[in-house]
Amino acid sequence: MSANDTVRALPSWTDGATRDAIIDFVASVTDGPGAVPVEERVAVFDNDGTLWTEKPMPTQLHFIVQQWAAAAAADPSLAEQQPYKAAVTGDLAWLGGAVDKHYAGDDSDVKVMIGAILGSTADLGVEQYAAMVADFYRDARHLTLHRPYAEVVYQPMVELLRYLEANGFTNYIVSGGDRDFMRPMTADYYGIPPERVIGSALGLGYDETSNQVHYHATFDFMDDGPVKPVRIWTRIGRRPIFAAGNSNGDIQMLRYTQGSAQHLTLLVHHDDDTGRGDTPYDKGAEQALAAASEHDFTVVSVARDWASVFPDPAA
């Protein structure tokens, strides 16, 4: 599929300025005197809220809540303290609020959550953890949409990944989510192999006796905000020419991409109140939306720019 193949390209995107901007940009960097060498056609995508749904709470938090609930069942004293209390009572408001506070610059509750995460993964081998996550993806369903997580990816964004690939781009995920939580599903859901997943990470160590890489009770780094450009350079060694995000934590990644002579930066805005997908929300994206005009981010309106949101389960 070429950049000029506008009949088949991006079928879940409505005709309009946003779709035209994508197609025109890809044409400009693949054909003619402004063509960018294939090895420099690097695209980076946030995950939660950009490639799939993140409400009422990020998917990884759903997985973690299950681990906390099991820990509280084994040790009832945990049930009186956060975040175990929220897991036991099903208090999605506290859990979602902790994430919203993080995007607003307040990490007090996120630090409590990270402490509990470290406690639940310490000494697990990486393969053991990957198997647990794979089981979760096989069985779990979205908390409010009640669909398998494979069916709550954003169909227009998956089409965009394929469209870029067809035009010589290499796609990476650059997410604040746990790298090792995403890796078991990215190839199947997005066509992105695990070596192209950049995310937050817990501390790791190698045990010679067991010949295993396992998790420490430490946090290595949070791949969000100004850390994203650093991790992109560390892992890729190139400045992207295309980036897509949806939140305050993606501003620096979008701005870093704009340092390339030719670039396109997309900011997904969840503004659709028709019931086709997520309930509309701006929380956690207020700064990014406010900066969109100043920094020339191309805002993707879910209501206006996407003809459909999720894949057809019958397809």
Short mmCIF file of all heavy atoms in Angstrom, two decimals, residues 209-266:
data_model
loop_
_atom_site.label_atom_id
_atom_site.label_comp_id
_atom_site.label_asym_id
_atom_site.label_seq_id
_atom_site.Cartn_x
_atom_site.Cartn_y
_atom_site.Cartn_z
N THR A 209 22.69 -19.30 40.03
CA THR A 209 22.28 -20.63 40.49
C THR A 209 21.09 -21.15 39.71
O THR A 209 21.06 -22.30 39.24
CB THR A 209 21.96 -20.60 41.99
OG1 THR A 209 23.09 -20.14 42.71
CG2 THR A 209 21.54 -21.98 42.48
N SER A 210 20.07 -20.28 39.55
CA SER A 210 18.87 -20.69 38.83
C SER A 210 18.95 -20.41 37.34
O SER A 210 18.10 -20.85 36.57
CB SER A 210 17.65 -19.97 39.40
OG SER A 210 17.76 -18.57 39.19
N ASN A 211 19.98 -19.66 36.92
CA ASN A 211 20.13 -19.24 35.53
C ASN A 211 18.90 -18.47 35.06
O ASN A 211 18.39 -18.68 33.96
CB ASN A 211 20.39 -20.45 34.61
CG ASN A 211 20.88 -20.03 33.24
OD1 ASN A 211 21.46 -18.96 33.07
ND2 ASN A 211 20.62 -20.88 32.24
N GLN A 212 18.42 -17.57 35.92
CA GLN A 212 17.21 -16.80 35.64
C GLN A 212 17.46 -15.31 35.80
O GLN A 212 18.22 -14.88 36.68
CB GLN A 212 16.08 -17.20 36.62
CG GLN A 212 15.55 -18.61 36.45
CD GLN A 212 14.61 -18.72 35.25
OE1 GLN A 212 14.06 -17.73 34.80
NE2 GLN A 212 14.44 -19.94 34.77
N VAL A 213 16.81 -14.53 34.94
CA VAL A 213 16.68 -13.09 35.17
C VAL A 213 15.41 -12.89 35.97
O VAL A 213 14.35 -13.42 35.63
CB VAL A 213 16.61 -12.31 33.85
CG1 VAL A 213 16.31 -10.83 34.11
CG2 VAL A 213 17.91 -12.45 33.06
N HIS A 214 15.49 -12.16 37.08
CA HIS A 214 14.32 -12.00 37.95
C HIS A 214 14.21 -10.56 38.41
O HIS A 214 15.14 -9.75 38.27
CB HIS A 214 14.41 -12.95 39.16
CG HIS A 214 15.60 -12.69 40.03
ND1 HIS A 214 15.61 -11.78 41.06
CD2 HIS A 214 16.86 -13.21 40.00
CE1 HIS A 214 16.80 -11.76 41.64
NE2 HIS A 214 17.58 -12.62 41.02
N TYR A 215 13.05 -10.23 38.96
CA TYR A 215 12.77 -8.86 39.40
C TYR A 215 13.28 -8.62 40.81
O TYR A 215 13.17 -9.48 41.68
CB TYR A 215 11.26 -8.58 39.33
CG TYR A 215 10.72 -8.63 37.93
CD1 TYR A 215 10.05 -9.75 37.46
CD2 TYR A 215 10.90 -7.56 37.05
CE1 TYR A 215 9.57 -9.81 36.16
CE2 TYR A 215 10.41 -7.61 35.75
CZ TYR A 215 9.75 -8.74 35.31
OH TYR A 215 9.29 -8.80 34.03
N HIS A 216 13.82 -7.43 41.02
CA HIS A 216 14.15 -6.95 42.35
C HIS A 216 12.99 -6.12 42.89
O HIS A 216 12.11 -5.71 42.14
CB HIS A 216 15.41 -6.07 42.31
CG HIS A 216 16.67 -6.80 42.00
ND1 HIS A 216 17.02 -7.99 42.59
CD2 HIS A 216 17.69 -6.50 41.14
CE1 HIS A 216 18.19 -8.39 42.14
NE2 HIS A 216 18.62 -7.51 41.25
N ALA A 217 13.02 -5.86 44.17
CA ALA A 217 12.00 -5.00 44.79
C ALA A 217 12.42 -3.54 44.64
O ALA A 217 12.45 -2.77 45.60
CB ALA A 217 11.81 -5.36 46.25
N THR A 218 12.78 -3.16 43.42
CA THR A 218 13.20 -1.80 43.11
C THR A 218 12.54 -1.36 41.81
O THR A 218 12.14 -2.20 40.99
CB THR A 218 14.72 -1.71 42.94
OG1 THR A 218 15.14 -2.60 41.89
CG2 THR A 218 15.44 -2.06 44.23
N PHE A 219 12.44 -0.05 41.65
CA PHE A 219 11.89 0.51 40.42
C PHE A 219 13.04 1.12 39.64
O PHE A 219 13.81 1.92 40.18
CB PHE A 219 10.85 1.58 40.75
CG PHE A 219 9.96 1.92 39.60
CD1 PHE A 219 8.96 1.07 39.19
CD2 PHE A 219 10.13 3.11 38.91
CE1 PHE A 219 8.13 1.37 38.12
CE2 PHE A 219 9.31 3.44 37.84
CZ PHE A 219 8.31 2.57 37.44
N ASP A 220 13.19 0.72 38.38
CA ASP A 220 14.32 1.18 37.59
C ASP A 220 14.06 2.58 37.02
O ASP A 220 14.80 3.52 37.29
CB ASP A 220 14.59 0.19 36.46
CG ASP A 220 16.00 0.33 35.89
OD1 ASP A 220 16.69 1.28 36.27
OD2 ASP A 220 16.40 -0.52 35.08
N PHE A 221 13.00 2.73 36.23
CA PHE A 221 12.67 4.05 35.69
C PHE A 221 11.22 4.09 35.25
O PHE A 221 10.62 3.06 34.95
CB PHE A 221 13.59 4.45 34.52
CG PHE A 221 13.68 3.39 33.44
CD1 PHE A 221 12.70 3.25 32.47
CD2 PHE A 221 14.76 2.53 33.42
CE1 PHE A 221 12.79 2.28 31.50
CE2 PHE A 221 14.87 1.54 32.45
CZ PHE A 221 13.87 1.42 31.48
N MET A 222 10.66 5.31 35.26
CA MET A 222 9.31 5.57 34.79
C MET A 222 9.41 6.25 33.44
O MET A 222 9.94 7.36 33.33
CB MET A 222 8.57 6.48 35.78
CG MET A 222 7.13 6.77 35.40
SD MET A 222 6.08 5.33 35.69
CE MET A 222 4.46 6.05 35.42
N ASP A 223 8.95 5.58 32.41
CA ASP A 223 9.09 6.07 31.04
C ASP A 223 7.93 7.01 30.71
O ASP A 223 7.00 6.64 29.99
CB ASP A 223 9.14 4.90 30.07
CG ASP A 223 9.41 5.34 28.64
OD1 ASP A 223 10.32 6.16 28.45
OD2 ASP A 223 8.71 4.88 27.72
N ASP A 224 7.98 8.22 31.23
CA ASP A 224 6.90 9.16 31.03
C ASP A 224 7.47 10.57 31.00
O ASP A 224 8.55 10.82 31.53
CB ASP A 224 5.86 9.03 32.16
CG ASP A 224 4.48 9.51 31.75
OD1 ASP A 224 4.16 9.47 30.56
OD2 ASP A 224 3.73 9.94 32.64
N GLY A 225 6.73 11.49 30.38
CA GLY A 225 7.14 12.87 30.36
C GLY A 225 8.52 13.05 29.75
O GLY A 225 8.83 12.53 28.67
N PRO A 226 9.41 13.80 30.41
CA PRO A 226 10.74 14.08 29.85
C PRO A 226 11.63 12.86 29.75
O PRO A 226 12.67 12.91 29.08
CB PRO A 226 11.33 15.11 30.82
CG PRO A 226 10.57 14.93 32.09
CD PRO A 226 9.19 14.51 31.69
N VAL A 227 11.26 11.76 30.38
CA VAL A 227 12.05 10.53 30.27
C VAL A 227 11.86 9.88 28.90
O VAL A 227 12.75 9.19 28.39
CB VAL A 227 11.71 9.55 31.41
CG1 VAL A 227 12.51 8.25 31.30
CG2 VAL A 227 11.97 10.20 32.76
N LYS A 228 10.70 10.09 28.28
CA LYS A 228 10.44 9.43 27.00
C LYS A 228 11.47 9.76 25.93
O LYS A 228 11.99 8.84 25.27
CB LYS A 228 9.02 9.74 26.52
CG LYS A 228 7.95 8.95 27.27
CD LYS A 228 6.60 8.99 26.56
CE LYS A 228 5.60 8.06 27.24
NZ LYS A 228 4.33 7.94 26.49
N PRO A 229 11.80 11.02 25.70
CA PRO A 229 12.85 11.29 24.70
C PRO A 229 14.19 10.63 25.04
O PRO A 229 14.90 10.15 24.14
CB PRO A 229 12.97 12.82 24.71
CG PRO A 229 11.64 13.29 25.18
CD PRO A 229 11.20 12.28 26.19
N VAL A 230 14.52 10.59 26.32
CA VAL A 230 15.78 9.96 26.73
C VAL A 230 15.76 8.48 26.41
O VAL A 230 16.72 7.92 25.86
CB VAL A 230 16.03 10.18 28.24
CG1 VAL A 230 17.27 9.40 28.71
CG2 VAL A 230 16.19 11.66 28.54
N ARG A 231 14.65 7.83 26.72
CA ARG A 231 14.54 6.39 26.44
C ARG A 231 14.50 6.12 24.94
O ARG A 231 15.02 5.10 24.47
CB ARG A 231 13.30 5.83 27.12
CG ARG A 231 13.32 5.90 28.65
CD ARG A 231 14.44 5.08 29.24
NE ARG A 231 14.31 3.68 28.88
CZ ARG A 231 15.29 2.78 28.90
NH1 ARG A 231 16.51 3.16 29.25
NH2 ARG A 231 15.07 1.53 28.57
N ILE A 232 13.85 6.99 24.18
CA ILE A 232 13.84 6.83 22.72
C ILE A 232 15.26 6.85 22.19
O ILE A 232 15.66 5.98 21.39
CB ILE A 232 12.99 7.94 22.06
CG1 ILE A 232 11.50 7.70 22.34
CG2 ILE A 232 13.23 7.99 20.56
CD1 ILE A 232 10.61 8.87 21.97
N TRP A 233 16.05 7.84 22.63
CA TRP A 233 17.42 7.92 22.13
C TRP A 233 18.24 6.72 22.61
O TRP A 233 19.03 6.13 21.85
CB TRP A 233 18.08 9.21 22.58
CG TRP A 233 19.50 9.28 22.10
CD1 TRP A 233 20.62 9.08 22.83
CD2 TRP A 233 19.93 9.50 20.76
NE1 TRP A 233 21.74 9.18 22.04
CE2 TRP A 233 21.34 9.43 20.75
CE3 TRP A 233 19.25 9.74 19.56
CZ2 TRP A 233 22.09 9.60 19.59
CZ3 TRP A 233 20.00 9.92 18.40
CH2 TRP A 233 21.40 9.84 18.42
N THR A 234 18.06 6.35 23.87
CA THR A 234 18.82 5.23 24.42
C THR A 234 18.55 3.94 23.67
O THR A 234 19.47 3.17 23.37
CB THR A 234 18.48 5.03 25.91
OG1 THR A 234 18.76 6.24 26.62
CG2 THR A 234 19.28 3.89 26.52
N ARG A 235 17.28 3.69 23.36
CA ARG A 235 16.89 2.43 22.74
C ARG A 235 16.97 2.44 21.21
O ARG A 235 17.26 1.41 20.60
CB ARG A 235 15.47 2.08 23.18
CG ARG A 235 15.35 1.64 24.64
CD ARG A 235 15.93 0.24 24.83
NE ARG A 235 15.31 -0.70 23.92
CZ ARG A 235 14.12 -1.28 24.13
NH1 ARG A 235 13.45 -1.01 25.24
NH2 ARG A 235 13.61 -2.12 23.25
N ILE A 236 16.66 3.57 20.59
CA ILE A 236 16.58 3.61 19.13
C ILE A 236 17.81 4.27 18.52
O ILE A 236 18.29 3.85 17.47
CB ILE A 236 15.30 4.35 18.68
CG1 ILE A 236 14.05 3.70 19.29
CG2 ILE A 236 15.20 4.35 17.15
CD1 ILE A 236 12.77 4.47 19.00
N GLY A 237 18.31 5.32 19.16
CA GLY A 237 19.46 6.02 18.63
C GLY A 237 19.13 6.93 17.47
O GLY A 237 20.02 7.38 16.74
N ARG A 238 17.84 7.21 17.29
CA ARG A 238 17.39 8.12 16.24
C ARG A 238 16.25 8.97 16.78
O ARG A 238 15.48 8.52 17.64
CB ARG A 238 16.89 7.37 15.00
CG ARG A 238 17.95 6.56 14.27
CD ARG A 238 17.36 5.96 12.99
NE ARG A 238 18.29 5.07 12.32
CZ ARG A 238 19.24 5.46 11.47
NH1 ARG A 238 19.37 6.76 11.21
NH2 ARG A 238 20.05 4.58 10.91
N ARG A 239 16.13 10.17 16.24
CA ARG A 239 14.98 11.01 16.56
C ARG A 239 13.83 10.60 15.64
O ARG A 239 14.00 10.52 14.42
CB ARG A 239 15.32 12.49 16.35
CG ARG A 239 14.27 13.45 16.90
CD ARG A 239 14.59 14.88 16.49
NE ARG A 239 15.78 15.42 17.15
CZ ARG A 239 15.76 16.24 18.20
NH1 ARG A 239 14.59 16.61 18.72
NH2 ARG A 239 16.88 16.69 18.72
N PRO A 240 12.64 10.32 16.19
CA PRO A 240 11.53 9.92 15.32
C PRO A 240 11.10 11.05 14.40
O PRO A 240 11.38 12.23 14.66
CB PRO A 240 10.40 9.60 16.32
CG PRO A 240 11.08 9.46 17.65
CD PRO A 240 12.29 10.33 17.60
N ILE A 241 10.39 10.68 13.33
CA ILE A 241 9.78 11.69 12.47
C ILE A 241 8.25 11.66 12.59
O ILE A 241 7.58 12.53 12.05
CB ILE A 241 10.20 11.55 11.00
CG1 ILE A 241 9.69 10.24 10.38
CG2 ILE A 241 11.72 11.65 10.87
CD1 ILE A 241 9.90 10.16 8.87
N PHE A 242 7.74 10.67 13.31
CA PHE A 242 6.28 10.55 13.51
C PHE A 242 6.05 10.11 14.94
O PHE A 242 6.75 9.23 15.45
CB PHE A 242 5.71 9.50 12.55
CG PHE A 242 4.21 9.37 12.58
CD1 PHE A 242 3.44 9.93 11.59
CD2 PHE A 242 3.57 8.68 13.60
CE1 PHE A 242 2.05 9.82 11.60
CE2 PHE A 242 2.19 8.56 13.64
CZ PHE A 242 1.43 9.14 12.65
N ALA A 243 5.08 10.73 15.60
CA ALA A 243 4.75 10.35 16.98
C ALA A 243 3.27 10.52 17.22
O ALA A 243 2.62 11.41 16.64
CB ALA A 243 5.54 11.18 17.98
N ALA A 244 2.71 9.66 18.07
CA ALA A 244 1.31 9.76 18.46
C ALA A 244 1.19 9.52 19.95
O ALA A 244 1.77 8.57 20.49
CB ALA A 244 0.46 8.74 17.69
N GLY A 245 0.43 10.39 20.62
CA GLY A 245 0.17 10.25 22.05
C GLY A 245 -1.21 10.77 22.37
O GLY A 245 -1.99 11.11 21.48
N ASN A 246 -1.53 10.84 23.67
CA ASN A 246 -2.86 11.31 24.05
C ASN A 246 -2.90 12.05 25.38
O ASN A 246 -3.95 12.54 25.77
CB ASN A 246 -3.84 10.12 24.14
CG ASN A 246 -3.67 9.33 25.43
OD1 ASN A 246 -2.62 8.74 25.66
ND2 ASN A 246 -4.69 9.32 26.27
N SER A 247 -1.75 12.16 26.05
CA SER A 247 -1.81 12.69 27.42
C SER A 247 -0.70 13.69 27.69
O SER A 247 0.21 13.89 26.88
CB SER A 247 -1.70 11.53 28.42
OG SER A 247 -0.37 11.05 28.48
N ASN A 248 -0.77 14.28 28.88
CA ASN A 248 0.28 15.21 29.31
C ASN A 248 1.66 14.56 29.30
O ASN A 248 2.66 15.21 29.03
CB ASN A 248 -0.03 15.72 30.71
CG ASN A 248 -1.34 16.49 30.79
OD1 ASN A 248 -1.83 17.01 29.79
ND2 ASN A 248 -1.92 16.56 31.98
N GLY A 249 1.70 13.28 29.61
CA GLY A 249 2.97 12.56 29.65
C GLY A 249 3.59 12.34 28.29
O GLY A 249 4.72 11.84 28.20
N ASP A 250 2.87 12.71 27.22
CA ASP A 250 3.40 12.52 25.86
C ASP A 250 3.92 13.82 25.24
O ASP A 250 4.45 13.80 24.13
CB ASP A 250 2.30 11.95 24.95
CG ASP A 250 1.86 10.57 25.38
OD1 ASP A 250 2.73 9.75 25.71
OD2 ASP A 250 0.64 10.31 25.38
N ILE A 251 3.76 14.94 25.93
CA ILE A 251 4.14 16.23 25.35
C ILE A 251 5.60 16.24 24.92
O ILE A 251 5.94 16.63 23.79
CB ILE A 251 3.87 17.38 26.34
CG1 ILE A 251 2.36 17.53 26.59
CG2 ILE A 251 4.45 18.67 25.81
CD1 ILE A 251 2.02 18.53 27.69
N GLN A 252 6.49 15.79 25.79
CA GLN A 252 7.91 15.86 25.48
C GLN A 252 8.27 14.92 24.32
O GLN A 252 9.14 15.26 23.50
CB GLN A 252 8.74 15.53 26.71
CG GLN A 252 8.71 16.62 27.78
CD GLN A 252 7.52 16.50 28.72
OE1 GLN A 252 6.64 15.65 28.55
NE2 GLN A 252 7.48 17.35 29.73
N MET A 253 7.62 13.77 24.22
CA MET A 253 7.87 12.87 23.10
C MET A 253 7.44 13.52 21.79
O MET A 253 8.15 13.43 20.77
CB MET A 253 7.12 11.55 23.30
CG MET A 253 7.28 10.56 22.15
SD MET A 253 6.47 8.97 22.46
CE MET A 253 4.73 9.41 22.24
N LEU A 254 6.28 14.19 21.80
CA LEU A 254 5.82 14.87 20.60
C LEU A 254 6.75 16.02 20.23
O LEU A 254 7.11 16.21 19.06
CB LEU A 254 4.40 15.38 20.81
CG LEU A 254 3.32 14.33 21.12
CD1 LEU A 254 1.96 14.99 21.34
CD2 LEU A 254 3.21 13.29 20.01
N ARG A 255 7.17 16.79 21.22
CA ARG A 255 8.06 17.91 20.96
C ARG A 255 9.43 17.43 20.47
O ARG A 255 10.03 18.05 19.58
CB ARG A 255 8.24 18.74 22.24
CG ARG A 255 6.98 19.47 22.69
CD ARG A 255 6.69 20.68 21.81
NE ARG A 255 7.68 21.71 22.03
CZ ARG A 255 8.51 22.19 21.09
NH1 ARG A 255 8.47 21.71 19.87
NH2 ARG A 255 9.38 23.12 21.39
N TYR A 256 9.92 16.33 21.02
CA TYR A 256 11.20 15.78 20.58
C TYR A 256 11.13 15.38 19.11
O TYR A 256 12.06 15.64 18.33
CB TYR A 256 11.57 14.58 21.46
CG TYR A 256 12.91 13.96 21.14
CD1 TYR A 256 14.08 14.70 21.22
CD2 TYR A 256 12.99 12.61 20.80
CE1 TYR A 256 15.31 14.12 20.95
CE2 TYR A 256 14.22 12.02 20.54
CZ TYR A 256 15.37 12.78 20.61
OH TYR A 256 16.60 12.20 20.33
N THR A 257 10.02 14.78 18.73
CA THR A 257 9.83 14.38 17.34
C THR A 257 9.84 15.60 16.42
O THR A 257 10.33 15.53 15.28
CB THR A 257 8.51 13.61 17.20
OG1 THR A 257 8.58 12.43 18.02
CG2 THR A 257 8.23 13.21 15.76
N GLN A 258 9.35 16.71 16.91
CA GLN A 258 9.31 17.92 16.09
C GLN A 258 10.69 18.52 15.85
O GLN A 258 10.82 19.45 15.04
CB GLN A 258 8.38 18.96 16.74
CG GLN A 258 6.92 18.54 16.70
CD GLN A 258 6.00 19.54 17.34
OE1 GLN A 258 6.37 20.23 18.29
NE2 GLN A 258 4.78 19.63 16.84
N GLY A 259 11.70 17.98 16.48
CA GLY A 259 13.06 18.40 16.18
C GLY A 259 13.56 17.86 14.86
O GLY A 259 14.62 18.30 14.38
N SER A 260 12.84 16.91 14.26
CA SER A 260 13.19 16.41 12.93
C SER A 260 12.71 17.41 11.88
O SER A 260 11.64 18.02 12.03
CB SER A 260 12.54 15.04 12.69
OG SER A 260 13.06 14.07 13.56
N ALA A 261 13.48 17.54 10.81
CA ALA A 261 13.14 18.52 9.77
C ALA A 261 11.75 18.24 9.20
O ALA A 261 10.98 19.17 8.94
CB ALA A 261 14.19 18.49 8.67
N GLN A 262 11.43 16.99 8.98
CA GLN A 262 10.10 16.60 8.53
C GLN A 262 9.47 15.76 9.63
O GLN A 262 10.07 14.80 10.13
CB GLN A 262 10.18 15.79 7.23
CG GLN A 262 10.69 16.61 6.05
CD GLN A 262 11.01 15.72 4.86
OE1 GLN A 262 12.10 15.19 4.75
NE2 GLN A 262 10.04 15.56 3.98
N HIS A 263 8.26 16.10 10.04
CA HIS A 263 7.65 15.40 11.17
C HIS A 263 6.14 15.56 11.14
O HIS A 263 5.61 16.48 10.51
CB HIS A 263 8.20 15.94 12.50
CG HIS A 263 7.95 17.42 12.67
ND1 HIS A 263 8.90 18.37 12.39
CD2 HIS A 263 6.84 18.11 13.07
CE1 HIS A 263 8.41 19.56 12.61
NE2 HIS A 263 7.15 19.44 13.03
N LEU A 264 5.48 14.65 11.83
CA LEU A 264 4.05 14.76 12.10
C LEU A 264 3.81 14.24 13.50
O LEU A 264 4.29 13.16 13.87
CB LEU A 264 3.22 13.95 11.10
CG LEU A 264 1.69 14.08 11.26
CD1 LEU A 264 1.22 15.50 11.00
CD2 LEU A 264 0.96 13.11 10.32
N THR A 265 3.08 15.01 14.30
CA THR A 265 2.78 14.62 15.67
C THR A 265 1.28 14.63 15.88
O THR A 265 0.60 15.64 15.63
CB THR A 265 3.46 15.57 16.67
OG1 THR A 265 3.16 16.94 16.33
CG2 THR A 265 4.97 15.38 16.66
N LEU A 266 0.74 13.50 16.33
CA LEU A 266 -0.69 13.35 16.55
C LEU A 266 -1.00 13.32 18.04
O LEU A 266 -0.29 12.67 18.81
CB LEU A 266 -1.21 12.04 15.92
CG LEU A 266 -0.98 11.81 14.43
CD1 LEU A 266 -1.66 10.51 14.00
CD2 LEU A 266 -1.49 12.98 13.60
#
